[in-house]
Amino acid sequence: MNNRIKTIITAVAGISLALGLQGSAFAAGDTPHDAWFQPLGGGGKVYWNDYYHPHISEDADSFTVADTREDGHGVFLRVDHPNGNTYFEAFNQGEGGGGIEFKPPNLANGQSEWIDVCLSERSRPIESTCATSMITE
């Protein structure tokens, strides 16, 4: 994602929090460990799970990229990780069922990453359907 857009979104989120606006897509503190996100217009979901298995010293993150509508489109996930790398995963069934698990490097406590969730065609995002969110652990 464009760094300028990230800067603008972060500034708007900070102003919203400072003014005490409720219902914002940005909340103070950690993202719930079982949060989910969807592309604009629906058609898919991405579930994020921050888990410790089998012990807290083995902190890990997992995404499930799932198709929720028979529309011929898949679901695409882009993760801009704070380690400087961008990770991608797509589930292309397009038949409204199933999904795939995706495990990028762990997001350490106190860090944030940006994700884009989009519908896809042949494993490529349909940019007009992408929804951007920030995850904080």
Side-chain angles (χ1 to χ4, degrees):
M1 177 194 322
N2 182 316
N3 284 335
R4 178 180 154 100
I5 294 172
K6 287 181 187 176
T7 302
I8 292 169
I9 291 172
T10 302
V12 170
I15 292 168
S16 297
L17 290 172
L19 295 175
L21 298 176
Q22 296 187 6
S24 172
F26 301 93
D30 294 348
T31 303
H33 72 89
D34 58 353
W36 60 270
F37 309 89
Q38 65 182 9
L40 299 176
K45 285 189 179 178
V46 170
Y47 301 90
W48 176 68
N49 188 11
D50 175 35
Y51 65 93
Y52 306 102
H53 180 72
H55 187 267
I56 196 165
S57 65
E58 298 181 31
D59 184 18
D61 299 321
S62 172
F63 290 92
T64 301
V65 181
D67 189 2
T68 61
R69 185 168 52 207
E70 287 187 51
D71 59 4
H73 294 107
V75 181
F76 179 89
L77 169 66
R78 179 175 33 239
V79 178
D80 290 330
H81 197 278
N83 68 9
N85 292 319
T86 300
Y87 303 93
F88 305 91
E89 184 63 62
F91 181 74
N92 296 301
Q93 185 179 18
E95 297 174 6
I100 189 169
E101 186 175 28
F102 173 56
K103 293 183 179 181
N106 184 57
L107 184 63
N109 288 335
Q111 288 188 325
S112 297
E113 64 189 359
W114 291 90
I115 66 168
D116 290 317
V117 179
C118 319
L119 293 179
S120 66
E121 295 262 340
R122 298 185 188 112
S123 298
R124 303 189 61 74
I126 301 171
E127 294 294 337
S128 64
T129 68
C130 293
T132 301
S133 299
M134 183 173 65
I135 293 175
T136 300
E137 185 170 319

